[in-house]
Amino acid sequence: MTSHAPGSNESKIMDFLHEHVFDPILASPNASASLKSGVRVTIARMNRLDAGGMVRYFWSAVAGTERSIDFADEIKRQGFKGFEDSHILEEFRRHFPKYAFPH
């Protein structure tokens, strides 16, 4: 797991995602072990990226691949918010305007 410097863009992105997506799932006694495992894999993958890569990963997950769509569905089924949640999308755009969705 790569550790990003406190205050770096990477750290700010991961802090946001931990607060809004990752930590509610990881802290929940109701989240399945497989969901928590998927979240840990996502965190590990994102931690290896720079800020631009993290944002591309986020938007790719939102746009959807077969794997990300299935994972997003499982997050919703278990009652949590994922990257695709409208509140998360709006807040992400607000917090990271220089990384707007690539048109």
Side-chain angles (χ1 to χ4, degrees), residues 45-81:
R45 287 180 180 152
M46 291 187 82
N47 272 327
R48 291 192 294 262
L49 303 171
D50 64 8
M54 289 177 176
V55 171
R56 283 188 297 280
Y57 189 102
F58 177 90
W59 289 118
S60 291
V62 170
T65 63
E66 185 175 337
R67 177 179 264 171
S68 70
I69 290 169
D70 291 344
F71 191 59
D73 289 345
E74 186 59 27
I75 288 171
K76 273 191 255 179
R77 260 193 302 281
Q78 292 192 37
F80 298 100
K81 292 180 180 180

PDB file of all heavy atoms in Angstrom, residues 45-81:
ATOM      1  N   ARG A  45      -5.681  -0.747  -4.965  1.00  0.00           N
ATOM      2  CA  ARG A  45      -5.450  -0.344  -6.364  1.00  0.00           C
ATOM      3  C   ARG A  45      -5.313   1.167  -6.473  1.00  0.00           C
ATOM      4  O   ARG A  45      -4.430   1.685  -7.153  1.00  0.00           O
ATOM      5  CB  ARG A  45      -6.574  -0.827  -7.258  1.00  0.00           C
ATOM      6  CG  ARG A  45      -6.538  -2.300  -7.508  1.00  0.00           C
ATOM      7  CD  ARG A  45      -7.675  -2.734  -8.392  1.00  0.00           C
ATOM      8  NE  ARG A  45      -7.612  -4.167  -8.609  1.00  0.00           N
ATOM      9  CZ  ARG A  45      -8.657  -4.929  -8.854  1.00  0.00           C
ATOM     10  NH1 ARG A  45      -9.869  -4.406  -8.943  1.00  0.00           N
ATOM     11  NH2 ARG A  45      -8.508  -6.220  -9.030  1.00  0.00           N
ATOM     12  N   MET A  46      -6.209   1.880  -5.821  1.00  0.00           N
ATOM     13  CA  MET A  46      -6.191   3.339  -5.924  1.00  0.00           C
ATOM     14  C   MET A  46      -4.964   3.932  -5.247  1.00  0.00           C
ATOM     15  O   MET A  46      -4.426   4.935  -5.704  1.00  0.00           O
ATOM     16  CB  MET A  46      -7.480   3.933  -5.355  1.00  0.00           C
ATOM     17  CG  MET A  46      -8.681   3.610  -6.232  1.00  0.00           C
ATOM     18  SD  MET A  46     -10.176   4.441  -5.706  1.00  0.00           S
ATOM     19  CE  MET A  46      -9.926   6.054  -6.458  1.00  0.00           C
ATOM     20  N   ASN A  47      -4.495   3.318  -4.163  1.00  0.00           N
ATOM     21  CA  ASN A  47      -3.327   3.825  -3.455  1.00  0.00           C
ATOM     22  C   ASN A  47      -2.054   3.742  -4.291  1.00  0.00           C
ATOM     23  O   ASN A  47      -1.084   4.431  -4.002  1.00  0.00           O
ATOM     24  CB  ASN A  47      -3.125   3.093  -2.128  1.00  0.00           C
ATOM     25  CG  ASN A  47      -3.895   3.731  -1.008  1.00  0.00           C
ATOM     26  OD1 ASN A  47      -4.088   4.944  -0.981  1.00  0.00           O
ATOM     27  ND2 ASN A  47      -4.340   2.928  -0.068  1.00  0.00           N
ATOM     28  N   ARG A  48      -2.046   2.927  -5.327  1.00  0.00           N
ATOM     29  CA  ARG A  48      -0.870   2.813  -6.198  1.00  0.00           C
ATOM     30  C   ARG A  48      -0.862   3.887  -7.285  1.00  0.00           C
ATOM     31  O   ARG A  48       0.095   3.978  -8.047  1.00  0.00           O
ATOM     32  CB  ARG A  48      -0.832   1.429  -6.843  1.00  0.00           C
ATOM     33  CG  ARG A  48      -0.536   0.314  -5.865  1.00  0.00           C
ATOM     34  CD  ARG A  48      -0.226  -0.980  -6.558  1.00  0.00           C
ATOM     35  NE  ARG A  48      -1.347  -1.534  -7.291  1.00  0.00           N
ATOM     36  CZ  ARG A  48      -2.155  -2.492  -6.831  1.00  0.00           C
ATOM     37  NH1 ARG A  48      -1.965  -2.996  -5.637  1.00  0.00           N
ATOM     38  NH2 ARG A  48      -3.148  -2.938  -7.571  1.00  0.00           N
ATOM     39  N   LEU A  49      -1.911   4.678  -7.365  1.00  0.00           N
ATOM     40  CA  LEU A  49      -2.069   5.657  -8.438  1.00  0.00           C
ATOM     41  C   LEU A  49      -1.750   7.068  -7.973  1.00  0.00           C
ATOM     42  O   LEU A  49      -1.852   7.381  -6.787  1.00  0.00           O
ATOM     43  CB  LEU A  49      -3.508   5.609  -8.957  1.00  0.00           C
ATOM     44  CG  LEU A  49      -3.990   4.253  -9.462  1.00  0.00           C
ATOM     45  CD1 LEU A  49      -5.490   4.306  -9.739  1.00  0.00           C
ATOM     46  CD2 LEU A  49      -3.209   3.826 -10.693  1.00  0.00           C
ATOM     47  N   ASP A  50      -1.425   7.931  -8.941  1.00  0.00           N
ATOM     48  CA  ASP A  50      -1.329   9.356  -8.637  1.00  0.00           C
ATOM     49  C   ASP A  50      -2.744   9.932  -8.680  1.00  0.00           C
ATOM     50  O   ASP A  50      -3.710   9.212  -8.991  1.00  0.00           O
ATOM     51  CB  ASP A  50      -0.381  10.072  -9.598  1.00  0.00           C
ATOM     52  CG  ASP A  50      -0.851  10.072 -11.046  1.00  0.00           C
ATOM     53  OD1 ASP A  50      -2.000   9.654 -11.349  1.00  0.00           O
ATOM     54  OD2 ASP A  50      -0.057  10.500 -11.902  1.00  0.00           O
ATOM     55  N   ALA A  51      -2.886  11.203  -8.378  1.00  0.00           N
ATOM     56  CA  ALA A  51      -4.217  11.821  -8.309  1.00  0.00           C
ATOM     57  C   ALA A  51      -4.979  11.676  -9.624  1.00  0.00           C
ATOM     58  O   ALA A  51      -6.163  11.328  -9.627  1.00  0.00           O
ATOM     59  CB  ALA A  51      -4.099  13.295  -7.920  1.00  0.00           C
ATOM     60  N   GLY A  52      -4.321  11.903 -10.736  1.00  0.00           N
ATOM     61  CA  GLY A  52      -4.987  11.765 -12.033  1.00  0.00           C
ATOM     62  C   GLY A  52      -5.472  10.340 -12.263  1.00  0.00           C
ATOM     63  O   GLY A  52      -6.579  10.122 -12.754  1.00  0.00           O
ATOM     64  N   GLY A  53      -4.647   9.369 -11.901  1.00  0.00           N
ATOM     65  CA  GLY A  53      -5.036   7.967 -12.031  1.00  0.00           C
ATOM     66  C   GLY A  53      -6.196   7.609 -11.127  1.00  0.00           C
ATOM     67  O   GLY A  53      -7.083   6.843 -11.516  1.00  0.00           O
ATOM     68  N   MET A  54      -6.203   8.169  -9.921  1.00  0.00           N
ATOM     69  CA  MET A  54      -7.313   7.919  -8.989  1.00  0.00           C
ATOM     70  C   MET A  54      -8.624   8.430  -9.571  1.00  0.00           C
ATOM     71  O   MET A  54      -9.659   7.765  -9.486  1.00  0.00           O
ATOM     72  CB  MET A  54      -7.051   8.607  -7.646  1.00  0.00           C
ATOM     73  CG  MET A  54      -5.984   7.987  -6.830  1.00  0.00           C
ATOM     74  SD  MET A  54      -5.728   8.969  -5.333  1.00  0.00           S
ATOM     75  CE  MET A  54      -4.512   7.967  -4.505  1.00  0.00           C
ATOM     76  N   VAL A  55      -8.560   9.610 -10.152  1.00  0.00           N
ATOM     77  CA  VAL A  55      -9.762  10.207 -10.728  1.00  0.00           C
ATOM     78  C   VAL A  55     -10.225   9.402 -11.941  1.00  0.00           C
ATOM     79  O   VAL A  55     -11.418   9.145 -12.095  1.00  0.00           O
ATOM     80  CB  VAL A  55      -9.531  11.693 -11.063  1.00  0.00           C
ATOM     81  CG1 VAL A  55     -10.685  12.257 -11.856  1.00  0.00           C
ATOM     82  CG2 VAL A  55      -9.318  12.483  -9.783  1.00  0.00           C
ATOM     83  N   ARG A  56      -9.294   8.975 -12.777  1.00  0.00           N
ATOM     84  CA  ARG A  56      -9.666   8.129 -13.918  1.00  0.00           C
ATOM     85  C   ARG A  56     -10.293   6.824 -13.431  1.00  0.00           C
ATOM     86  O   ARG A  56     -11.278   6.355 -14.000  1.00  0.00           O
ATOM     87  CB  ARG A  56      -8.455   7.847 -14.805  1.00  0.00           C
ATOM     88  CG  ARG A  56      -8.083   9.030 -15.695  1.00  0.00           C
ATOM     89  CD  ARG A  56      -7.015   8.694 -16.716  1.00  0.00           C
ATOM     90  NE  ARG A  56      -5.732   8.323 -16.116  1.00  0.00           N
ATOM     91  CZ  ARG A  56      -4.829   9.178 -15.652  1.00  0.00           C
ATOM     92  NH1 ARG A  56      -5.065  10.483 -15.717  1.00  0.00           N
ATOM     93  NH2 ARG A  56      -3.701   8.752 -15.137  1.00  0.00           N
ATOM     94  N   TYR A  57      -9.746   6.245 -12.379  1.00  0.00           N
ATOM     95  CA  TYR A  57     -10.303   5.016 -11.804  1.00  0.00           C
ATOM     96  C   TYR A  57     -11.737   5.276 -11.327  1.00  0.00           C
ATOM     97  O   TYR A  57     -12.645   4.495 -11.606  1.00  0.00           O
ATOM     98  CB  TYR A  57      -9.430   4.560 -10.628  1.00  0.00           C
ATOM     99  CG  TYR A  57      -9.773   3.202 -10.079  1.00  0.00           C
ATOM    100  CD1 TYR A  57      -8.992   2.099 -10.404  1.00  0.00           C
ATOM    101  CD2 TYR A  57     -10.852   3.015  -9.224  1.00  0.00           C
ATOM    102  CE1 TYR A  57      -9.284   0.841  -9.897  1.00  0.00           C
ATOM    103  CE2 TYR A  57     -11.163   1.768  -8.718  1.00  0.00           C
ATOM    104  CZ  TYR A  57     -10.369   0.680  -9.055  1.00  0.00           C
ATOM    105  OH  TYR A  57     -10.673  -0.556  -8.551  1.00  0.00           O
ATOM    106  N   PHE A  58     -11.936   6.386 -10.607  1.00  0.00           N
ATOM    107  CA  PHE A  58     -13.262   6.759 -10.108  1.00  0.00           C
ATOM    108  C   PHE A  58     -14.252   6.866 -11.260  1.00  0.00           C
ATOM    109  O   PHE A  58     -15.307   6.241 -11.248  1.00  0.00           O
ATOM    110  CB  PHE A  58     -13.164   8.090  -9.351  1.00  0.00           C
ATOM    111  CG  PHE A  58     -14.481   8.620  -8.856  1.00  0.00           C
ATOM    112  CD1 PHE A  58     -14.955   8.268  -7.604  1.00  0.00           C
ATOM    113  CD2 PHE A  58     -15.252   9.489  -9.635  1.00  0.00           C
ATOM    114  CE1 PHE A  58     -16.175   8.768  -7.134  1.00  0.00           C
ATOM    115  CE2 PHE A  58     -16.465   9.978  -9.176  1.00  0.00           C
ATOM    116  CZ  PHE A  58     -16.921   9.619  -7.923  1.00  0.00           C
ATOM    117  N   TRP A  59     -13.895   7.659 -12.297  1.00  0.00           N
ATOM    118  CA  TRP A  59     -14.829   7.872 -13.400  1.00  0.00           C
ATOM    119  C   TRP A  59     -15.030   6.615 -14.229  1.00  0.00           C
ATOM    120  O   TRP A  59     -16.126   6.387 -14.752  1.00  0.00           O
ATOM    121  CB  TRP A  59     -14.402   9.055 -14.263  1.00  0.00           C
ATOM    122  CG  TRP A  59     -14.588  10.374 -13.568  1.00  0.00           C
ATOM    123  CD1 TRP A  59     -13.624  11.269 -13.240  1.00  0.00           C
ATOM    124  CD2 TRP A  59     -15.819  10.933 -13.091  1.00  0.00           C
ATOM    125  NE1 TRP A  59     -14.177  12.347 -12.586  1.00  0.00           N
ATOM    126  CE2 TRP A  59     -15.525  12.170 -12.479  1.00  0.00           C
ATOM    127  CE3 TRP A  59     -17.145  10.508 -13.102  1.00  0.00           C
ATOM    128  CZ2 TRP A  59     -16.493  12.977 -11.908  1.00  0.00           C
ATOM    129  CZ3 TRP A  59     -18.124  11.318 -12.529  1.00  0.00           C
ATOM    130  CH2 TRP A  59     -17.793  12.534 -11.939  1.00  0.00           C
ATOM    131  N   SER A  60     -14.022   5.773 -14.343  1.00  0.00           N
ATOM    132  CA  SER A  60     -14.191   4.495 -15.054  1.00  0.00           C
ATOM    133  C   SER A  60     -15.184   3.610 -14.315  1.00  0.00           C
ATOM    134  O   SER A  60     -16.012   2.939 -14.939  1.00  0.00           O
ATOM    135  CB  SER A  60     -12.856   3.769 -15.183  1.00  0.00           C
ATOM    136  OG  SER A  60     -12.011   4.442 -16.056  1.00  0.00           O
ATOM    137  N   ALA A  61     -15.086   3.607 -12.994  1.00  0.00           N
ATOM    138  CA  ALA A  61     -16.036   2.825 -12.201  1.00  0.00           C
ATOM    139  C   ALA A  61     -17.448   3.372 -12.366  1.00  0.00           C
ATOM    140  O   ALA A  61     -18.409   2.609 -12.461  1.00  0.00           O
ATOM    141  CB  ALA A  61     -15.626   2.831 -10.727  1.00  0.00           C
ATOM    142  N   VAL A  62     -17.594   4.687 -12.407  1.00  0.00           N
ATOM    143  CA  VAL A  62     -18.907   5.298 -12.587  1.00  0.00           C
ATOM    144  C   VAL A  62     -19.456   4.966 -13.977  1.00  0.00           C
ATOM    145  O   VAL A  62     -20.626   4.598 -14.114  1.00  0.00           O
ATOM    146  CB  VAL A  62     -18.839   6.833 -12.383  1.00  0.00           C
ATOM    147  CG1 VAL A  62     -20.135   7.501 -12.813  1.00  0.00           C
ATOM    148  CG2 VAL A  62     -18.531   7.154 -10.918  1.00  0.00           C
ATOM    149  N   ALA A  63     -18.610   5.096 -14.998  1.00  0.00           N
ATOM    150  CA  ALA A  63     -19.047   4.797 -16.365  1.00  0.00           C
ATOM    151  C   ALA A  63     -19.429   3.332 -16.486  1.00  0.00           C
ATOM    152  O   ALA A  63     -20.377   2.989 -17.182  1.00  0.00           O
ATOM    153  CB  ALA A  63     -17.946   5.149 -17.360  1.00  0.00           C
ATOM    154  N   GLY A  64     -18.699   2.490 -15.795  1.00  0.00           N
ATOM    155  CA  GLY A  64     -19.075   1.095 -15.699  1.00  0.00           C
ATOM    156  C   GLY A  64     -18.334   0.131 -16.599  1.00  0.00           C
ATOM    157  O   GLY A  64     -18.271   0.316 -17.806  1.00  0.00           O
ATOM    158  N   THR A  65     -17.765  -0.859 -15.969  1.00  0.00           N
ATOM    159  CA  THR A  65     -17.265  -2.045 -16.629  1.00  0.00           C
ATOM    160  C   THR A  65     -18.129  -3.170 -16.074  1.00  0.00           C
ATOM    161  O   THR A  65     -18.852  -2.969 -15.080  1.00  0.00           O
ATOM    162  CB  THR A  65     -15.788  -2.307 -16.286  1.00  0.00           C
ATOM    163  OG1 THR A  65     -15.680  -2.547 -14.875  1.00  0.00           O
ATOM    164  CG2 THR A  65     -14.901  -1.130 -16.684  1.00  0.00           C
ATOM    165  N   GLU A  66     -18.061  -4.333 -16.656  1.00  0.00           N
ATOM    166  CA  GLU A  66     -18.885  -5.432 -16.138  1.00  0.00           C
ATOM    167  C   GLU A  66     -18.608  -5.656 -14.646  1.00  0.00           C
ATOM    168  O   GLU A  66     -19.521  -5.772 -13.843  1.00  0.00           O
ATOM    169  CB  GLU A  66     -18.616  -6.712 -16.918  1.00  0.00           C
ATOM    170  CG  GLU A  66     -19.535  -7.847 -16.495  1.00  0.00           C
ATOM    171  CD  GLU A  66     -19.347  -9.087 -17.353  1.00  0.00           C
ATOM    172  OE1 GLU A  66     -18.874  -8.971 -18.493  1.00  0.00           O
ATOM    173  OE2 GLU A  66     -19.687 -10.160 -16.851  1.00  0.00           O
ATOM    174  N   ARG A  67     -17.339  -5.658 -14.290  1.00  0.00           N
ATOM    175  CA  ARG A  67     -16.967  -5.886 -12.893  1.00  0.00           C
ATOM    176  C   ARG A  67     -17.448  -4.741 -11.991  1.00  0.00           C
ATOM    177  O   ARG A  67     -17.991  -4.973 -10.918  1.00  0.00           O
ATOM    178  CB  ARG A  67     -15.461  -6.059 -12.784  1.00  0.00           C
ATOM    179  CG  ARG A  67     -14.995  -6.235 -11.355  1.00  0.00           C
ATOM    180  CD  ARG A  67     -13.509  -6.428 -11.299  1.00  0.00           C
ATOM    181  NE  ARG A  67     -13.285  -7.851 -11.260  1.00  0.00           N
ATOM    182  CZ  ARG A  67     -12.121  -8.424 -11.366  1.00  0.00           C
ATOM    183  NH1 ARG A  67     -11.054  -7.698 -11.575  1.00  0.00           N
ATOM    184  NH2 ARG A  67     -11.992  -9.723 -11.270  1.00  0.00           N
ATOM    185  N   SER A  68     -17.237  -3.486 -12.427  1.00  0.00           N
ATOM    186  CA  SER A  68     -17.617  -2.359 -11.566  1.00  0.00           C
ATOM    187  C   SER A  68     -19.129  -2.243 -11.433  1.00  0.00           C
ATOM    188  O   SER A  68     -19.633  -1.849 -10.377  1.00  0.00           O
ATOM    189  CB  SER A  68     -17.007  -1.044 -12.064  1.00  0.00           C
ATOM    190  OG  SER A  68     -17.585  -0.612 -13.268  1.00  0.00           O
ATOM    191  N   ILE A  69     -19.864  -2.612 -12.481  1.00  0.00           N
ATOM    192  CA  ILE A  69     -21.329  -2.570 -12.405  1.00  0.00           C
ATOM    193  C   ILE A  69     -21.833  -3.594 -11.396  1.00  0.00           C
ATOM    194  O   ILE A  69     -22.680  -3.291 -10.553  1.00  0.00           O
ATOM    195  CB  ILE A  69     -21.955  -2.781 -13.799  1.00  0.00           C
ATOM    196  CG1 ILE A  69     -21.681  -1.564 -14.689  1.00  0.00           C
ATOM    197  CG2 ILE A  69     -23.448  -3.048 -13.692  1.00  0.00           C
ATOM    198  CD1 ILE A  69     -22.016  -1.773 -16.152  1.00  0.00           C
ATOM    199  N   ASP A  70     -21.281  -4.799 -11.458  1.00  0.00           N
ATOM    200  CA  ASP A  70     -21.676  -5.834 -10.493  1.00  0.00           C
ATOM    201  C   ASP A  70     -21.346  -5.418  -9.067  1.00  0.00           C
ATOM    202  O   ASP A  70     -22.136  -5.612  -8.152  1.00  0.00           O
ATOM    203  CB  ASP A  70     -20.999  -7.166 -10.820  1.00  0.00           C
ATOM    204  CG  ASP A  70     -21.516  -7.794 -12.104  1.00  0.00           C
ATOM    205  OD1 ASP A  70     -22.599  -7.387 -12.589  1.00  0.00           O
ATOM    206  OD2 ASP A  70     -20.826  -8.697 -12.620  1.00  0.00           O
ATOM    207  N   PHE A  71     -20.151  -4.840  -8.879  1.00  0.00           N
ATOM    208  CA  PHE A  71     -19.732  -4.414  -7.545  1.00  0.00           C
ATOM    209  C   PHE A  71     -20.625  -3.272  -7.040  1.00  0.00           C
ATOM    210  O   PHE A  71     -21.048  -3.271  -5.878  1.00  0.00           O
ATOM    211  CB  PHE A  71     -18.259  -3.998  -7.568  1.00  0.00           C
ATOM    212  CG  PHE A  71     -17.667  -3.789  -6.200  1.00  0.00           C
ATOM    213  CD1 PHE A  71     -17.634  -4.810  -5.266  1.00  0.00           C
ATOM    214  CD2 PHE A  71     -17.139  -2.563  -5.855  1.00  0.00           C
ATOM    215  CE1 PHE A  71     -17.081  -4.617  -4.006  1.00  0.00           C
ATOM    216  CE2 PHE A  71     -16.582  -2.351  -4.608  1.00  0.00           C
ATOM    217  CZ  PHE A  71     -16.553  -3.380  -3.677  1.00  0.00           C
ATOM    218  N   ALA A  72     -20.934  -2.322  -7.913  1.00  0.00           N
ATOM    219  CA  ALA A  72     -21.819  -1.217  -7.534  1.00  0.00           C
ATOM    220  C   ALA A  72     -23.200  -1.731  -7.152  1.00  0.00           C
ATOM    221  O   ALA A  72     -23.801  -1.256  -6.177  1.00  0.00           O
ATOM    222  CB  ALA A  72     -21.931  -0.214  -8.680  1.00  0.00           C
ATOM    223  N   ASP A  73     -23.702  -2.713  -7.888  1.00  0.00           N
ATOM    224  CA  ASP A  73     -24.996  -3.307  -7.557  1.00  0.00           C
ATOM    225  C   ASP A  73     -24.966  -3.968  -6.183  1.00  0.00           C
ATOM    226  O   ASP A  73     -25.913  -3.851  -5.407  1.00  0.00           O
ATOM    227  CB  ASP A  73     -25.418  -4.335  -8.614  1.00  0.00           C
ATOM    228  CG  ASP A  73     -25.811  -3.700  -9.944  1.00  0.00           C
ATOM    229  OD1 ASP A  73     -26.029  -2.464  -9.983  1.00  0.00           O
ATOM    230  OD2 ASP A  73     -25.884  -4.448 -10.935  1.00  0.00           O
ATOM    231  N   GLU A  74     -23.867  -4.648  -5.888  1.00  0.00           N
ATOM    232  CA  GLU A  74     -23.742  -5.312  -4.583  1.00  0.00           C
ATOM    233  C   GLU A  74     -23.674  -4.276  -3.452  1.00  0.00           C
ATOM    234  O   GLU A  74     -24.275  -4.463  -2.398  1.00  0.00           O
ATOM    235  CB  GLU A  74     -22.514  -6.224  -4.553  1.00  0.00           C
ATOM    236  CG  GLU A  74     -22.407  -7.052  -3.294  1.00  0.00           C
ATOM    237  CD  GLU A  74     -23.607  -7.970  -3.055  1.00  0.00           C
ATOM    238  OE1 GLU A  74     -24.289  -8.375  -4.023  1.00  0.00           O
ATOM    239  OE2 GLU A  74     -23.876  -8.277  -1.882  1.00  0.00           O
ATOM    240  N   ILE A  75     -22.970  -3.192  -3.674  1.00  0.00           N
ATOM    241  CA  ILE A  75     -22.906  -2.120  -2.674  1.00  0.00           C
ATOM    242  C   ILE A  75     -24.315  -1.610  -2.380  1.00  0.00           C
ATOM    243  O   ILE A  75     -24.702  -1.472  -1.217  1.00  0.00           O
ATOM    244  CB  ILE A  75     -21.980  -0.977  -3.155  1.00  0.00           C
ATOM    245  CG1 ILE A  75     -20.517  -1.426  -3.110  1.00  0.00           C
ATOM    246  CG2 ILE A  75     -22.179   0.289  -2.317  1.00  0.00           C
ATOM    247  CD1 ILE A  75     -19.545  -0.452  -3.762  1.00  0.00           C
ATOM    248  N   LYS A  76     -25.082  -1.360  -3.430  1.00  0.00           N
ATOM    249  CA  LYS A  76     -26.463  -0.877  -3.252  1.00  0.00           C
ATOM    250  C   LYS A  76     -27.343  -1.912  -2.568  1.00  0.00           C
ATOM    251  O   LYS A  76     -28.123  -1.569  -1.688  1.00  0.00           O
ATOM    252  CB  LYS A  76     -27.075  -0.510  -4.608  1.00  0.00           C
ATOM    253  CG  LYS A  76     -26.786   0.896  -5.031  1.00  0.00           C
ATOM    254  CD  LYS A  76     -27.631   1.263  -6.226  1.00  0.00           C
ATOM    255  CE  LYS A  76     -26.734   1.256  -7.435  1.00  0.00           C
ATOM    256  NZ  LYS A  76     -27.390   1.567  -8.679  1.00  0.00           N
ATOM    257  N   ARG A  77     -27.223  -3.175  -3.000  1.00  0.00           N
ATOM    258  CA  ARG A  77     -28.037  -4.252  -2.408  1.00  0.00           C
ATOM    259  C   ARG A  77     -27.823  -4.344  -0.901  1.00  0.00           C
ATOM    260  O   ARG A  77     -28.745  -4.645  -0.160  1.00  0.00           O
ATOM    261  CB  ARG A  77     -27.681  -5.602  -3.040  1.00  0.00           C
ATOM    262  CG  ARG A  77     -28.647  -6.064  -4.098  1.00  0.00           C
ATOM    263  CD  ARG A  77     -28.465  -7.516  -4.472  1.00  0.00           C
ATOM    264  NE  ARG A  77     -27.138  -7.858  -4.959  1.00  0.00           N
ATOM    265  CZ  ARG A  77     -26.676  -7.629  -6.184  1.00  0.00           C
ATOM    266  NH1 ARG A  77     -27.456  -7.039  -7.069  1.00  0.00           N
ATOM    267  NH2 ARG A  77     -25.470  -7.987  -6.539  1.00  0.00           N
ATOM    268  N   GLN A  78     -26.583  -4.069  -0.488  1.00  0.00           N
ATOM    269  CA  GLN A  78     -26.275  -4.155   0.936  1.00  0.00           C
ATOM    270  C   GLN A  78     -26.541  -2.843   1.679  1.00  0.00           C
ATOM    271  O   GLN A  78     -26.284  -2.724   2.872  1.00  0.00           O
ATOM    272  CB  GLN A  78     -24.835  -4.628   1.127  1.00  0.00           C
ATOM    273  CG  GLN A  78     -24.657  -6.073   0.686  1.00  0.00           C
ATOM    274  CD  GLN A  78     -23.349  -6.672   1.120  1.00  0.00           C
ATOM    275  OE1 GLN A  78     -22.842  -6.399   2.211  1.00  0.00           O
ATOM    276  NE2 GLN A  78     -22.791  -7.526   0.271  1.00  0.00           N
ATOM    277  N   GLY A  79     -27.079  -1.848   0.963  1.00  0.00           N
ATOM    278  CA  GLY A  79     -27.532  -0.617   1.609  1.00  0.00           C
ATOM    279  C   GLY A  79     -26.505   0.481   1.768  1.00  0.00           C
ATOM    280  O   GLY A  79     -26.680   1.383   2.595  1.00  0.00           O
ATOM    281  N   PHE A  80     -25.450   0.448   0.961  1.00  0.00           N
ATOM    282  CA  PHE A  80     -24.401   1.460   1.066  1.00  0.00           C
ATOM    283  C   PHE A  80     -24.363   2.336  -0.186  1.00  0.00           C
ATOM    284  O   PHE A  80     -24.964   2.015  -1.204  1.00  0.00           O
ATOM    285  CB  PHE A  80     -23.035   0.779   1.263  1.00  0.00           C
ATOM    286  CG  PHE A  80     -22.964  -0.026   2.519  1.00  0.00           C
ATOM    287  CD1 PHE A  80     -23.134  -1.404   2.471  1.00  0.00           C
ATOM    288  CD2 PHE A  80     -22.761   0.575   3.746  1.00  0.00           C
ATOM    289  CE1 PHE A  80     -23.085  -2.173   3.627  1.00  0.00           C
ATOM    290  CE2 PHE A  80     -22.720  -0.182   4.911  1.00  0.00           C
ATOM    291  CZ  PHE A  80     -22.885  -1.556   4.850  1.00  0.00           C
ATOM    292  N   LYS A  81     -23.618   3.438  -0.083  1.00  0.00           N
ATOM    293  CA  LYS A  81     -23.434   4.336  -1.218  1.00  0.00           C
ATOM    294  C   LYS A  81     -22.095   4.042  -1.870  1.00  0.00           C
ATOM    295  O   LYS A  81     -21.084   3.886  -1.192  1.00  0.00           O
ATOM    296  CB  LYS A  81     -23.453   5.798  -0.759  1.00  0.00           C
ATOM    297  CG  LYS A  81     -24.804   6.241  -0.256  1.00  0.00           C
ATOM    298  CD  LYS A  81     -24.772   7.685   0.185  1.00  0.00           C
ATOM    299  CE  LYS A  81     -26.145   8.090   0.683  1.00  0.00           C
ATOM    300  NZ  LYS A  81     -26.167   9.477   1.121  1.00  0.00           N
TER     301      LYS A  81
END
